[in-house]
Amino acid sequence: MNRRQLLLTLCAAATLAGAPAAHADALANIMKNGSLRVAVPQDFPPFGSVGADLKPVGYDIDTAKLIASRLGVTVELVPVTSANRIAYLQTNKVDLVISSMGKNAEREKVIDFTDAYAPFFNGVFGPASIKAAKAADLSGKTIGVTRGAVEDIELSKIAPADATIKRYEDNNGTISAFLSNQVQLIATGNVVAAAILARNPPKKPETKFLIKDSPCFIGLNKGESALQAKVNAILADAKKDGSLNTISRKWLGSDLPAGL
Amino acid sequence: MAYRFDFASIADYTPVLAKGLGVTVELIAFGAVAGVAIGIAAAWARTEGPRWLRPCITTYVELIRNTPFLIQLFFIFFGLPALGVQLGEMQAACLAMAVNLGAYSAEIIRAGIAATPRGQYEAGASLAMTRLEVFRHIVLKPALARIWPALSSQIVIVMLGSAVCSQIAAEDLSFAANFIQSRNFRAFEVYIVTTVIYLLLAIVLRQLLRLLGQHLFRRAPR
């Protein structure tokens, strides 16, 4: 090994050793700066949208505030889109991504996730008077769905033959059909059901059963195990003491599902 | 052209298209008969009927002719349940088509009636016929014969307009096309096939109405 090679090797080693050091420990940094930088959506109600005072509001924003307050630091909200939220994390512009993000294998290659913090699913919804705990219970019932949506495709597979599926052009048609009693139940996303509940209609869409479950997770950089453990502990506490449930009731109009 | 046509992917859905075609035929059969019946009644009421009824008919005709069919359909399907009138999508679609065609055909038939020479009324009166008898036996048939081509066109227009009934989940031909398109994403193939079916349906309907006209008004004076 000549000198030049040795120098290159040393440089490479220094770079490798130095890379994590430059990140330092995200949790320690947050505590030192006294502020938690969180990527939040501003175009996806009820998770994140711009309120009347032009400040971001929503489920994700309240979760960010909850975590910051339990850490004892201030929160700095960074509006992102679903396309650039992971890039914000990777370039260290934010500490956490709380942006109604689902977990999948591709994302897990580049970032880590905490435990789930929000429910996100397609399911069958209907008034309390109708019992339907599983797909077989739809027998003889009329279910409205938006044509071509994921829930249409899935429900068409699992619904019994004598269930009537009415397919509408868009979500508004499906909602109108449900509210005007043209269908007994609807299959849709929990966010859509929350939007209906928010209008406080006489016929309330309560969750009957889930068709496809894809809860939201908080994203953080790889290797930040201290921050990950801390956020997980906060989430576990918040689930236990009901403060996360309060956020769910406020924005989604319903309690957190038992399995979250 | 880079697009590869795949009409075979539609073949699997032939029963869906067939069912849709059946529903469209059902809609137009009911809509045409009920609509023309409403049209005749409304035309009578507007020309011969009691004075108090005329403004009501005018309101009906103007209301329907000056609002979109889609809105009329939504009002019946989504709006009426608030008043306690719950109609299924087929009932709502049939009602909407009948009411819509009724208003248009009322105006068309009224034009035919208005073209009746005065002497015909006088001839009826001189035979001691009542006004209703004059209308039934002397006025109506020649009036219908005069406007039959226009009425046929209106029926075809309403048949084509029935496509919007798919918006309230009535499973007609358009619904079948949209449904297949949402499953196999073969928009071009699906809609070209549907277009051809609608075209054939319109041609057949027009010919049927022409034959019906020939049969009904064989010896009617022009």
Side-chain angles (χ1 to χ4, degrees):
Chain A
M1 194 181 274
N2 63 28
R3 265 223 321 258
R4 185 177 292 253
Q5 266 182 330
L6 183 67
L7 202 64
L8 276 173
T9 317
L10 281 175
C11 279
T15 317
L16 282 176
H23 264 304
D25 176 12
L27 181 60
N29 264 347
I30 293 163
M31 302 315 285
K32 192 178 74 180
N33 295 338
S35 92
L36 175 71
R37 298 166 306 161
V38 186
V40 291
Q42 56 178 353
D43 54 358
F44 193 54
F47 287 99
S49 57
V50 180
D53 55 357
L54 298 180
K55 291 198 179 109
V57 291
Y59 192 114
D60 289 347
I61 284 85
D62 281 2
T63 308
K65 287 178 179 162
L66 175 89
I67 291 172
S69 77
R70 302 249 166 136
L71 284 170
V73 296
T74 58
V75 66
E76 188 186 325
L77 299 171
V78 182
V80 293
T81 65
S82 48
N84 67 16
R85 56 194 172 181
I86 291 179
Y88 264 73
L89 191 59
Q90 288 174 316
T91 54
N92 204 27
K93 288 187 174 64
V94 294
D95 302 305
L96 296 175
V97 173
I98 307 182
S99 182
S100 50
M101 186 160 57
K103 187 149 83 172
N104 63 31
E106 277 164 17
R107 287 175 186 160
E108 275 183 299
K109 275 183 209 154
V110 288
I111 58 170
D112 278 349
F113 288 96
T114 66
D115 295 337
Y117 74 96
F120 196 78
F121 57 87
N122 289 322
V124 171
F125 300 82
S129 55
I130 297 176
K131 297 270 173 288
K134 54 186 183 302
D137 295 344
L138 297 179
S139 161
K141 300 202 165 61
T142 319
I143 310 105
V145 67
T146 301
R147 174 163 37 70
V150 178
E151 54 270 18
D152 174 18
I153 312 284
E154 295 297 322
L155 190 69
S156 303
K157 286 184 208 154
I158 60 173
D162 61 343
T164 314
I165 302 177
K166 301 270 180 217
R167 297 178 179 86
Y168 296 91
E169 186 72 17
D170 52 25
N171 279 342
N172 288 336
T174 312
I175 295 170
S176 301
F178 175 73
L179 294 180
S180 59
N181 279 320
Q182 298 289 7
V183 294
Q184 295 170 288
L185 300 161
I186 47 170
T188 188
N190 64 329
V191 176
V192 176
I196 305 175
L197 274 175
R199 287 186 244 159
N200 202 22
K203 191 178 174 190
K204 299 213 180 338
E206 294 170 11
T207 311
K208 296 298 170 194
F209 63 89
L210 270 55
I211 295 174
K212 203 172 164 75
D213 192 17
S214 159
C216 306
F217 297 84
I218 299 175
L220 72 172
N221 270 315
K222 281 217 168 285
E224 300 294 353
S225 50
L227 180 60
Q228 190 179 28
K230 186 75 190 165
V231 172
N232 277 342
I234 291 171
L235 285 179
D237 278 350
K239 283 175 195 173
K240 212 176 293 167
D241 66 19
S243 44
L244 199 58
N245 201 44
T246 310
I247 297 178
S248 176
R249 289 204 69 83
K250 179 176 170 193
W251 295 105
L252 300 175
S254 59
D255 289 323
L256 288 174
L260 194 81
Chain B
M1 203 152 80
Y3 191 81
R4 295 170 74 115
F5 296 99
D6 180 15
F7 285 97
S9 65
I10 313 249
D12 302 341
Y13 293 98
T14 311
V16 180
L17 275 177
K19 191 172 165 237
L21 178 61
V23 171
T24 294
V25 169
E26 213 174 300
L27 282 176
I28 188 57
F30 181 86
V33 172
V36 172
I38 294 174
I40 292 172
W44 170 80
R46 231 179 159 184
T47 50
E48 304 271 320
R51 233 160 240 297
W52 58 267
L53 195 56
R54 294 184 196 180
C56 306
I57 301 296
T58 308
T59 308
Y60 157 66
V61 169
E62 294 306 317
L63 185 67
I64 297 299
R65 288 188 357 135
N66 293 300
T67 51
F69 180 56
L70 183 62
I71 300 301
Q72 296 162 12
L73 187 66
F74 278 180
F75 179 77
I76 291 172
F77 188 70
F78 292 130
L80 286 187
L83 304 177
V85 183
Q86 195 84 37
L87 293 174
E89 65 278 354
M90 278 304 280
Q91 295 163 311
C94 284
L95 180 63
M97 286 177 69
V99 166
N100 187 272
L101 181 61
Y104 281 94
S105 57
E107 275 301 273
I108 296 172
I109 295 167
R110 192 172 70 101
I113 294 170
T116 307
R118 278 245 54 87
Q120 303 253 337
Y121 288 95
E122 287 160 6
S126 71
L127 290 171
M129 290 170 116
T130 65
R131 287 183 55 150
L132 193 62
E133 281 171 337
V134 171
F135 183 79
R136 249 188 75 193
H137 300 293
I138 298 178
V139 176
L140 183 60
K141 210 169 166 183
L144 284 178
R146 273 182 219 111
I147 51 81
W148 193 250
L151 192 58
S152 303
S153 286
Q154 191 59 44
I155 292 173
V156 171
I157 288 170
V158 168
M159 186 275 282
L160 297 176
S162 75
V164 304
C165 295
S166 63
Q167 296 286 322
I168 57 165
E171 303 188 350
D172 73 335
L173 189 54
S174 297
F175 179 90
N178 290 333
F179 177 83
I180 297 168
Q181 197 273 132
S182 75
R183 290 296 143 83
N184 68 2
F185 305 111
R186 288 275 164 190
F188 185 89
E189 288 88 335
V190 170
Y191 290 122
I192 196 88
V193 167
T194 313
T195 303
V196 170
I197 297 176
Y198 268 116
L199 180 64
L200 291 177
L201 200 57
I203 292 171
V204 168
L205 182 61
R206 215 176 266 279
Q207 290 306 315
L208 281 177
L209 288 168
R210 196 177 58 87
L211 290 175
L212 181 67
Q214 280 179 355
H215 174 77
L216 282 177
F217 312 120
R218 215 171 340 188
R219 279 185 288 166
R222 273 235 43 145

